[in-house]
Structures are given as C-alpha cells and as structure tokens.
Amino acid sequence: MYWVFLVLAGLLEVGGVINLKLTEGFTRLRPTIFFIICMGLSFFFLSVSLIEIPISIGYGIWTGIGAAGSVLLGMFLFNEPKNWKKLALVGGIIFSIVSLKLIS
C-alpha cells in the first residue's frame, strides 16, 4: 500500500506543478487553490509512504514522477517544444524510477 501512496504523491505533485503554471504568478484564485491542495496532499502521501519506503528510494521516485509527468504534460497541455532528445531523457527518468523500485 505504501507504494500506491508514493505513486499517488507523485501524480499529485504533477497536478500541483500544472496548476502552478496556471496560477499566472498566483494571480488566479482557482488554480492557486488547486495548487495548494495538490501539493499539500502530495507531501502528505509522500510522508505516509516514507513510513515503510526508505527516503533515498521514495524521494527519488517522487521527484522522478513529478519531473517526467511535468515535462510530458507541459509538452501536451502547453505546447512546449517536443523533440526526440527530450523524450529520450524523460525515458531515462522513467527507466530510473522503475529501476529504483526494482532494487528496493
């Protein structure tokens, strides 16, 4: 169950980052509220997952999910540049996440 909490924390981090972009410098209320909620829940679920998962593994996976998810959603939601190099590097992050899970 702790791994589910960790993945949920990572996905909520992605939601927080996307809403951070939408806040336009915290000038828009709704995305600001969603940002606070997503990041608060993300930290909560991360802390719960770290009860059982070592910090070195948990934090690495949490940040990896956040980084990869933010890059991919940025490309598709905000029309950020897409190229094979960026996708290959995101693939490397995903490979690293899976590898961290497999060694723990």
Side-chain angles (χ1 to χ4, degrees), residues 24-81:
E24 296 178 8
F26 295 108
T27 60
R28 297 182 59 215
L29 182 61
R30 182 169 285 162
T32 298
I33 291 169
F34 286 134
F35 165 75
I36 293 167
I37 291 170
C38 284
M39 293 309 287
L41 287 171
S42 178
F43 280 112
F44 171 75
F45 285 113
L46 175 63
S47 70
V48 172
S49 72
L50 295 178
I51 292 170
E52 188 67 27
I53 299 169
I55 186 79
S56 58
I57 302 295
Y59 184 74
I61 290 174
W62 179 70
T63 57
I65 292 170
S70 298
V71 169
L72 293 173
L73 283 179
M75 288 190 297
F76 294 105
L77 295 178
F78 303 114
N79 295 317
E80 293 176 359

Side-chain angles (χ1 to χ4, degrees), residues 71 75 82-92:
V71 169
M75 288 190 297
K82 304 170 187 74
N83 61 55
W84 70 270
K85 292 176 189 176
K86 189 183 284 190
L87 291 173
L89 292 169
V90 169

